[in-house]
Amino acid sequence: MNTKDTGASGSVTWQSPSNIALIKYWGKTDPQIPKNVSISFTLSNCNTQTTVKYRPKSSISEDFDFKIFFDQKENQSFRRKIEQFFERVVPYIPFIRNYEFEIHTGNSFPHSSGIASSASGMSALALCLMSIQKSMDPHLSEIDFNQKASFLARLGSGSAARSIEGPLVVWGQHHSIFKSSNLYGTKYSGEIHDVFTSFQDTILLVDKGEKKVSSTLGHKLMLGHPFAESRFEQAKDNMNRLIAILKNGELDSFIDIIEREALSLHAMMMTSDPYFILMKPNTLEIINRIWNFRELSGCHICFTLDAGANVHVLYPDKDKKAVRDFIDKELVQFCQNGQFIHDNVGNGAKLL
Ligand code: DP6
């Protein structure tokens, strides 16, 4: 039993991680269908913990009945997002109309750190709803449970589809990846070299402010973008190259793909109509310092970016000491209030 059940009422808690894309999802059609394949490392320390308390509604109504608490305080700003999520998922989990919910959620990373919480937040909520479904249908297999949790999470936020399992998750159809789907993320089933199962990611918090352009709007701007089709082809080709690298552990080629993907993502933003730039001067300063350090030290360090100014510094475990010394000495000065988070590849969400 996945829920602490008392009849039809109960409570369930999941901790779900954030993820960092290696091949980027940028561009989608309705309903949350990606224009290209993406793959991410599941993270470990950056996560959302969500508890959903549920009980049957006292009176029949069509409205969704829920309260949402963020860091113990009732939060109105998340209401609209959750209402929209409930509207999208109700055809697949119709029981949500018959219950009232109290949702308590919080992140392990600092509030408004600029780290996308939608992946960990939406996957944690989707998993809680799936646990409620499982309490009604105990025969649901683990594979079906995870697949449907990812399917529901995707409807909340595309990248959330990749936050159920680990260490590497693919979302979006790709001819070389068995069972890859546009509808849900799947644990990468190809061979994975040991070096990638302990990869490190230090997130440098360059700018913690509210983003000027949301990811949702950025995705929309890919429709009709002059370089969209070549970008989608590029992602497909990069995925082909990455499949071989994930197997042979060849880090120079890994670095080439990772940084190319990050810069292509931002190049799409800079060539949208309207165009925009999410990188900040310190983002570029960090990138240049990483390139210099890589050349001098021979460490297999590289960067990637999500839709913001923060820099994810990726490196293998063998280079941990040297890279962390370098971060302390040279990169922390470019972080807002000196803030950064050490994280590493993780194995997915946990039922608490
Ligand atoms: C740049 O998943 O945040 O991080 O589906 O509109 O919620 P929505 O977008 P979102 O987009 C993430 C974009 C990205 C790349 C990635 O994670 O693949």
Side-chain angles (χ1 to χ4, degrees):
M1 185 70 75
N2 261 344
T3 57
K4 293 167 200 111
D5 242 343
T6 47
S9 306
S11 159
V12 58
T13 302
W14 277 90
Q15 186 184 76
S16 191
S18 188
N19 67 70
I20 181 66
L22 306 176
I23 305 278
K24 308 290 181 181
Y25 146 58
W26 200 243
K28 64 176 169 183
T29 51
D30 273 342
Q32 297 281 96
I33 301 297
K35 292 294 280 183
N36 64 262
V37 67
S38 61
I39 185 168
S40 48
F41 275 144
T42 304
L43 295 180
S44 183
N45 301 333
C46 289
N47 58 59
T48 297
Q49 187 169 315
T50 298
T51 296
V52 175
K53 298 178 183 172
Y54 58 97
R55 61 168 187 221
K57 277 183 182 169
S58 42
S59 58
I60 292 173
S61 76
E62 279 293 289
D63 293 341
F64 298 119
D65 190 343
F66 69 93
K67 280 187 177 160
I68 165 95
F69 297 83
F70 181 74
D71 285 344
Q72 277 113 44
K73 285 188 212 79
E74 195 158 2
N75 187 303
Q76 290 307 323
S77 61
F78 288 161
R79 260 205 93 76
R80 184 60 213 124
K81 190 122 189 115
I82 294 195
E83 218 151 53
Q84 186 187 42
F85 174 65
F86 277 13
E87 271 156 23
R88 285 188 187 165
V89 297
V90 70
Y92 311 100
I93 42 171
F95 70 83
I96 62 173
R97 279 208 199 280
N98 307 330
Y99 281 81
E100 52 184 67
F101 300 101
E102 218 181 271
I103 303 166
H104 294 262
T105 190
N107 296 330
S108 65
F109 40 90
H111 184 47
S112 69
S113 56
I115 296 184
S117 56
S118 64
S120 53
M122 284 300 172
S123 55
L125 182 56
L127 284 159
C128 289
L129 296 175
M130 279 309 296
S131 282
I132 300 170
Q133 167 155 13
K134 189 166 163 84
S135 71
M136 300 165 190
D137 176 12
H139 299 298
L140 195 66
S141 72
E142 193 183 331
I143 292 177
D144 290 346
F145 181 97
N146 283 341
Q147 187 169 299
K148 189 161 171 186
S150 174
F151 175 95
L152 299 178
R154 176 198 112 238
L155 293 171
S157 177
S159 52
R162 299 188 312 243
S163 273
I164 307 294
E165 296 180 88
L168 280 153
V169 178
V170 175
W171 171 46
Q173 224 158 17
H174 190 275
H175 59 278
S176 308
I177 303 178
F178 184 57
K179 288 198 171 159
S180 56
S181 169
N182 285 339
L183 302 180
Y184 44 80
T186 39
K187 187 168 157 161
Y188 178 65
S189 56
E191 209 175 308
I192 303 175
H193 191 281
D194 274 353
V195 73
F196 296 118
T197 56
S198 57
F199 233 73
Q200 304 291 312
D201 177 6
T202 299
I203 306 156
L204 305 177
L205 306 178
V206 171
D207 185 49
K208 304 194 291 165
E210 185 77 10
K211 279 188 286 189
K212 296 271 179 307
V213 181
S214 70
S215 294
T216 303
L217 178 57
H219 286 291
K220 277 208 187 104
L221 296 176
M222 285 302 279
L223 303 172
H225 190 296
F227 308 132
E229 285 315 312
S230 14
R231 164 60 200 148
F232 302 144
E233 274 304 304
Q234 180 199 33
K236 191 158 80 182
D237 293 347
N238 282 343
M239 188 69 235
N240 270 331
R241 287 179 62 203
L242 193 59
I243 290 170
I245 293 163
L246 289 175
K247 186 171 167 182
N248 65 27
E250 216 281 285
L251 291 177
D252 290 330
S253 313
F254 178 76
I255 288 170
D256 181 79
I257 293 183
I258 299 317
E259 293 188 346
R260 194 174 293 282
E261 275 291 313
L263 294 179
S264 294
L265 168 72
H266 282 256
M268 290 301 109
M269 300 172 187
M270 290 189 232
T271 47
S272 297
D273 185 6
Y275 48 78
F276 59 103
I277 301 179
L278 295 182
M279 288 190 274
K280 298 281 180 195
N282 282 349
T283 312
L284 289 178
E285 190 62 54
I286 289 168
I287 291 174
N288 280 302
R289 300 258 176 163
I290 288 175
W291 284 343
N292 280 336
F293 174 74
R294 184 160 76 217
E295 201 169 312
L296 293 173
S297 69
C299 286
H300 289 104
I301 178 176
C302 65
F303 71 87
T304 188
L305 308 166
D306 53 18
N310 295 335
V311 181
H312 288 248
V313 185
L314 299 180
Y315 47 99
D317 195 54
K318 71 168 175 64
D319 289 335
K320 188 160 154 181
K321 171 140 186 15
V323 170
R324 289 194 175 180
D325 284 350
F326 159 66
I327 290 173
D328 286 341
K329 280 201 202 97
E330 276 204 51
L331 302 185
V332 170
Q333 59 179 315
F334 302 113
C335 300
Q336 212 172 4
N337 306 324
Q339 278 191 296
F340 61 90
I341 299 168
H342 288 313
D343 210 334
N344 52 266
V345 169
N347 286 318
K350 291 184 198 122
L351 176 66
L352 300 182

